[in-house]
Amino acid sequence: MPKRRGHGEGSVYQRKDGRWTGYIRTEKGEKKYFYGSTRKEVQDKVRAALNEKERGTLATGPNPLLKDYLPEWLETVCKPLYRAPSTYLHYRSAMKKHIIPEIGHLKIRSLTSRHIQELYAKKIRDGAKPPTIKLMHEVLSGSLNSALQWEMVSKNVASQVTVPKGVQREIVPLTEEQAKVLLEIARGHRLEGMILLAVTTGLRRGEITALKWSDIDFDARLLFIKHTVSHVAFMGYVEKEPKTRAGKRTIHLPEAVIQTLQQHYSEQKAKAEEMGLSLSEWNPKVLVFLSKLRSYMHSPQTLKEFHQIVAQAGLPKMRFHDLRHSAATILLAKGVHPKVVQELLGHSSIAMTMNIYSHVMPSMRKEVAGIMDTIFSEEKEGDEP
């Protein structure tokens, strides 16, 4: 004989097969069932659900397996709405390679923070690096946020997980003297303009690559950052607007840059005329910097040539992105206000600028101490004995 419901447990009972069952009614009047092997287990589930119902956080939506839900979220939310193509591909790889094989069999409401924490620990033991774990966490956290909005879960369990911190890549900025040496070696090379722009304005490689002649006002000596370009696997070159409002900016160009770019423009125009073409016919995208195939200069060959120039200059190995760091470091060391540097680089906040270039701050703090010492030393000398 199945046991009767306990007093005050009107929604908890034992079935003929011995399994315990419970239910509550949702705001819509529908029954939401819970199952367990003991009365207490089901009672706890029912009480928790009633508390969630009272708080308005009760999950009443579908409860799919993660292996079914994650791909759907990736295609319907992540891909079209708010992620760049390269990020989408990284997310898809993390999902297929790391997440679904390990926890894809779990239903979304069965997933716990412990499942996720153990997943990260296992992947680290298997040799996964912090950036990989970070990608996995972005997929799980983002997808569970959507599930929370759709009332598929009552909370985002990924928010209770500790994510390992990545090792920040060391910045290798050039000094003012080293930057001059690099530019001297690059003089006349097809990368001269790109290197000069990076060192003097701190532009990103993708921003330089995407520049069009229409983005430059030679008379006003202004440069307008409107786009950036990257190479995405299986998709080719992808041009898009900057990620943030701060990234879409106007930059005042030094005279040296203006002269170099004007010469570069004249050379392109002359090559087009040699072939009996207009500049727009010879250079359909009207790009400032062209590869040998008259396309974007965002390729391994470009980087190879850059590293050769760096080696010829006798400078330490560096990334092209370090030229951006060099521009910021040189300006900060010269006493330019960090707010100005922030706007030049297109950072979303001055805090980001200060965090990245904190290595420059010690010398600046020393300079401040010297200034204060000078001020108060003068007052002391003027005091009567």
Side-chain angles (χ1 to χ4, degrees):
M1 290 288 293
K3 296 181 181 178
R4 289 185 171 276
R5 307 172 189 178
H7 181 65
E9 302 171 355
S11 60
V12 178
Y13 58 92
Q14 190 177 33
R15 304 192 312 187
K16 291 181 179 181
D17 60 4
R19 194 179 187 194
W20 285 88
T21 303
Y23 70 86
I24 67 170
R25 289 191 179 276
T26 67
E27 296 292 344
K28 298 178 181 179
E30 301 170 344
K31 289 183 178 179
K32 182 176 177 63
Y33 287 91
F34 305 91
Y35 305 95
S37 56
T38 66
R39 174 188 291 179
K40 185 178 184 307
E41 181 183 352
V42 177
Q43 282 178 320
D44 291 342
K45 290 181 179 180
V46 169
R47 289 194 188 102
L50 288 171
N51 288 334
E52 289 173 1
K53 179 181 177 181
E54 187 176 343
R55 294 195 304 266
T57 60
L58 179 65
T60 57
N63 187 24
L65 297 173
L66 283 172
K67 67 179 181 181
D68 297 323
Y69 171 69
L70 290 178
E72 180 183 359
W73 171 80
L74 194 70
E75 296 299 324
T76 59
V77 176
C78 179
K79 185 177 182 179
L81 297 183
Y82 66 96
R83 289 298 178 185
S86 57
T87 304
Y88 161 77
L89 291 176
H90 288 314
Y91 279 14
R92 188 176 67 174
S93 175
M95 178 190 70
K96 289 186 174 182
K97 185 177 179 181
H98 299 290
I99 300 175
I100 288 181
E102 300 289 346
I103 58 174
H105 62 284
L106 295 175
K107 287 195 172 184
I108 192 168
R109 284 200 285 274
S110 299
L111 182 66
T112 65
S113 55
R114 182 169 181 175
H115 285 134
I116 299 174
Q117 196 72 70
E118 290 177 346
L119 169 63
Y120 295 168
K122 180 180 183 299
K123 288 299 175 180
I124 291 173
R125 288 195 302 271
D126 292 342
K129 303 299 182 184
T132 299
I133 304 299
K134 182 175 180 290
L135 277 176
M136 294 167 59
H137 189 70
E138 288 177 2
V139 171
L140 287 170
S141 183
S143 62
L144 289 174
N145 270 337
S146 295
L148 186 61
Q149 294 170 359
W150 299 331
E151 299 183 341
M152 298 169 70
V153 295
S154 59
K155 62 181 178 180
N156 184 343
V157 294
S159 64
Q160 301 170 320
V161 174
T162 302
V163 183
K165 294 183 179 180
V167 178
Q168 189 172 7
R169 181 176 288 184
E170 183 181 358
I171 295 176
V172 187
L174 298 174
T175 64
E176 183 179 348
E177 292 71 22
Q178 288 175 322
K180 290 179 179 178
V181 171
L182 179 65
L183 291 173
E184 183 60 35
I185 297 298
R187 193 180 303 278
H189 194 281
R190 72 191 191 104
L191 298 188
E192 178 187 1
M194 294 182 71
I195 294 174
L196 180 61
L197 261 178
V199 168
T200 57
T201 66
L203 292 187
R204 301 175 178 89
R205 181 184 169 206
E207 293 170 339
I208 294 175
T209 305
L211 281 178
K212 296 176 173 59
W213 287 117
S214 58
D215 297 330
I216 302 174
D217 185 334
F218 284 112
D219 293 331
R221 294 172 54 172
L222 295 176
L223 177 67
F224 306 97
I225 303 301
K226 302 176 181 177
H227 299 92
T228 183
V229 72
S230 59
H231 189 273
V232 181
F234 310 113
M235 297 180 67
Y237 293 107
V238 177
E239 187 173 314
K240 59 183 184 296
E241 292 187 356
K243 291 181 181 179
T244 64
R245 183 181 300 178
K248 201 170 185 179
R249 59 202 189 277
T250 300
I251 295 175
H252 293 264
L253 294 176
E255 182 60 30
V257 175
I258 288 291
Q259 292 178 5
T260 299
L261 291 177
Q262 284 178 327
Q263 181 181 348
H264 193 55
Y265 179 84
S266 299
E267 291 172 355
Q268 277 197 16
K269 195 172 180 181
K271 289 179 181 178
E273 291 174 351
E274 286 177 7
M275 300 179 66
L277 301 173
S278 65
L279 181 59
S280 59
E281 290 172 328
W282 182 78
N283 178 3
K285 295 183 183 299
V286 201
L287 296 169
V288 174
F289 301 107
L290 281 173
S291 70
K292 294 177 180 179
L293 298 177
R294 280 182 273 170
S295 183
Y296 295 108
M297 283 186 67
H298 198 288
S299 66
Q301 178 59 33
T302 302
L303 290 181
K304 182 180 179 181
E305 292 181 31
F306 169 69
H307 291 142
Q308 289 173 344
I309 294 173
V310 171
Q312 290 173 17
L315 299 174
K317 291 183 179 180
M318 62 188 303
R319 302 167 300 158
F320 190 90
H321 197 73
D322 286 321
L323 297 181
R324 171 176 168 83
H325 295 316
S326 301
T329 302
I330 291 171
L331 290 173
L332 288 169
K334 285 288 188 181
V336 176
H337 196 284
K339 183 64 179 176
V340 176
V341 176
Q342 173 214 332
E343 294 173 351
L344 178 67
L345 299 181
H347 286 162
S348 57
S349 70
I350 192 169
M352 179 185 295
T353 308
M354 300 297 284
N355 286 337
I356 295 175
Y357 301 106
S358 59
H359 64 282
V360 185
M361 298 304 115
S363 61
M364 295 178 69
R365 287 194 290 269
K366 184 177 180 181
E367 181 180 341
V368 169
I371 293 173
M372 297 298 286
D373 187 47
T374 300
I375 294 172
F376 288 102
S377 292
E378 291 176 352
E379 289 186 0
K380 187 174 181 180
E381 289 173 1
D383 289 344
E384 293 183 5

